[in-house]
Amino acid sequence: MDNDCLFCKIIKGEVPSTKVYEDEFVYGFKDINPAAPIHILVVPKKHIASLAELTDEDEKYVWAIHKAMNKIAEEQGFKENGYRVVINCGKDSGQEVMHLHYHVLAGNKFGDKIV
Ligand code: 5GP
Ligand code: ZN
């Protein structure tokens, strides 16, 4: 945990959030400024600054996040129609919060494919 980190504060409940999922390793909550009808952030409960900071020890968090996204999609009803997952990593990507987070976007058809 990092005391100055916004997402660590959200995980601890010090900053309010709208929770959509939680387990031992993962916390999922609604993005405050949604970029799609459904926009959920899925984060590891351990403070990992970005994708670039991942170590072998963090393997369990990565797997838990992937499982959680699948579960959230099922629970929230967008698994069948599909969804997009975005991870910003570092300066050029525009990453603003330095706590690894997966953006899960759903609820419309994404026309502007980047890749
Ligand atoms: P990044 O640009 O770092 O990939 O994404 C950060 C995301 O966090 C943005 O989509 C932004 O809307 C979201 N965000 C920033 N502050 C808060 C907050 O206090 N609560 C919630 N729920 N989301 C936040
Ligand atoms: Zn953090």
Side-chain angles (χ1 to χ4, degrees):
M1 287 290 160
D2 176 334
N3 288 334
D4 293 325
C5 169
L6 173 63
F7 288 173
C8 282
K9 286 180 183 160
I10 284 179
I11 292 162
K12 282 187 276 184
E14 290 172 10
V15 169
S17 66
T18 306
K19 177 168 94 172
V20 296
Y21 180 84
E22 184 169 17
D23 66 31
E24 187 185 352
F25 299 114
V26 176
Y27 190 74
F29 56 103
K30 289 188 181 172
D31 195 291
I32 205 166
N33 184 24
I38 298 168
H39 186 169
I40 295 162
L41 299 173
V42 183
V43 305
K45 283 189 171 174
K46 177 186 172 186
H47 181 80
I48 301 164
S50 79
L51 198 62
E53 306 290 320
L54 275 172
T55 67
D56 286 342
E57 278 172 33
D58 302 325
E59 192 176 8
K60 58 182 180 289
Y61 291 95
V62 175
W63 175 228
I65 288 168
H66 282 246
K67 277 196 294 186
M69 291 191 295
N70 217 3
K71 211 164 173 184
I72 291 166
E74 209 166 336
E75 283 171 7
Q76 305 278 322
F78 58 81
K79 187 169 179 174
E80 198 184 321
N81 280 349
Y83 53 101
R84 179 172 285 176
V85 178
V86 175
I87 304 169
N88 290 318
C89 177
K91 207 160 33 86
D92 279 1
S93 75
Q95 182 181 3
E96 283 177 3
V97 179
M98 294 309 288
H99 181 127
L100 175 64
H101 51 283
Y102 289 50
H103 297 262
V104 179
L105 304 153
N108 60 14
K109 199 160 166 56
F110 298 99
D112 48 342
K113 277 189 82 177
I114 299 171
V115 286

